[in-house]
Amino acid sequence: EIVLTQSPTTTAASPGEKVTITCLASSSVSNMYWYQQKSGASPKLLIYSTSSLASGVPDRFSGSGSGTSYSLTINTMEAEDAATYYCQQWSSNPPTFGSGTKLEIK
Amino acid sequence: EVQLVESGGGLVQPGRSLKLSCAASGFTFSNYYMAWVRQAPKKGLEWVATISTSGSRTYYPDSVKGRFTISRDNAKSSLYLQMNSLKSEDTATYYCARQQGPGYPYFDYWGQGVMVTVSS
């Protein structure tokens, strides 16, 4: 099973600040997927196939990476971006998720 | 608008069974793989099961294989999860999720979730 390690576990950013969340895979994966989960809500797809924005997702979000290292970037932090973010792979079975990065607003 | 509405959760004793349902609307249900993903309290996400468009193929992680069964009724646009021999570690919110398909291994829409508590 591929283990996904996210960092940081928790972070806080001021409005307008750039935020980067990293996801390291225990083995090489071909693509990474990212989800946003706000408090008390269900997860929402943000990024698919490493760098493609899901429908309706603001373009301040972006994804990049390859092999075992992937990242999610929020170009300019907004209050509504406060949430927990999860990465996910399915290059090999079973699909796995990272343990999450909690992003708070300063 | 894509909607996924889960039902059937609740409190159940260890070793007993429970069946979850998910009613889908806003898209052609029979064209999509579907999945269940769970989240234990204050924990991360765990994939539980996936079913192909026709229902002929199903996939499970080792943690639930042999105990859980995913199924679907395309005529009713409904997804199901039969959970047997439940354990305390199955306590979680269970989400119904639409999956793009074998070439698109991610979950693009999620339901609001239904809570399952396994406790005596």
Side-chain angles (χ1 to χ4, degrees):
Chain A
E1 164 174 325
I2 293 179
V3 176
L4 301 179
T5 302
Q6 289 185 230
S7 62
T9 302
T10 305
T11 189
S14 301
E17 192 175 339
K18 183 176 182 178
V19 177
T20 298
I21 297 169
T22 299
C23 180
L24 296 182
S26 58
S27 297
S28 181
V29 300
S30 55
N31 274 301
M32 194 62 72
Y33 307 89
W34 292 92
Y35 302 87
Q36 175 194 65
Q37 186 176 32
K38 296 185 178 180
S39 181
S42 54
K44 170 189 171 184
L45 177 69
L46 281 182
I47 302 281
Y48 64 96
S49 300
T50 300
S51 58
S52 297
L53 245 57
S55 176
V57 175
D59 61 7
R60 63 179 179 273
F61 289 90
S62 63
S64 63
S66 64
T68 60
S69 181
Y70 291 81
S71 63
L72 171 70
T73 298
I74 305 173
N75 207 37
T76 50
M77 175 75 180
E78 295 194 9
E80 65 181 24
D81 299 335
T84 299
Y85 293 83
Y86 295 94
C87 55
Q88 176 241 317
Q89 70 78 30
W90 204 340
S91 290
S92 70
N93 284 316
T96 51
F97 293 86
S99 53
T101 293
K102 185 175 184 178
L103 172 61
E104 299 172 329
I105 188 80
K106 280 185 186 174
Chain B
E1 179 193 4
V2 172
Q3 284 200 322
L4 300 168
V5 180
E6 302 94 337
S7 61
L11 173 64
V12 60
Q13 293 178 328
R16 303 299 290 265
S17 300
L18 198 64
K19 186 173 184 177
L20 306 182
S21 299
C22 171
S25 61
F27 65 102
T28 304
F29 182 73
S30 58
N31 286 353
Y32 290 86
Y33 278 45
M34 296 295 296
W36 290 96
V37 179
R38 68 184 179 184
Q39 185 171 36
K42 306 291 187 185
K43 298 293 186 182
L45 301 166
E46 180 188 17
W47 168 72
V48 172
T50 286
I51 189 167
S52 63
T53 52
S54 66
S56 60
R57 286 166 289 172
T58 57
Y59 309 87
Y60 307 92
D62 288 344
S63 58
V64 308
K65 196 176 293 181
R67 299 189 299 123
F68 289 13
T69 302
I70 188 173
S71 61
R72 66 191 296 162
D73 184 335
N74 286 342
K76 294 182 177 179
S77 295
S78 293
L79 178 72
Y80 306 100
L81 184 67
Q82 176 68 47
M83 304 183 292
N84 299 332
S85 302
L86 281 161
K87 307 175 182 180
S88 58
E89 51 263 43
D90 296 318
T91 294
T93 296
Y94 285 73
Y95 295 102
C96 165
R98 191 177 83 168
Q99 188 179 324
Q100 281 288 321
Y104 305 91
Y106 58 93
F107 313 101
D108 62 348
Y109 286 95
W110 300 60
Q112 86 286 352
V114 63
M115 185 68 199
V116 173
T117 302
V118 183
S119 175
S120 54

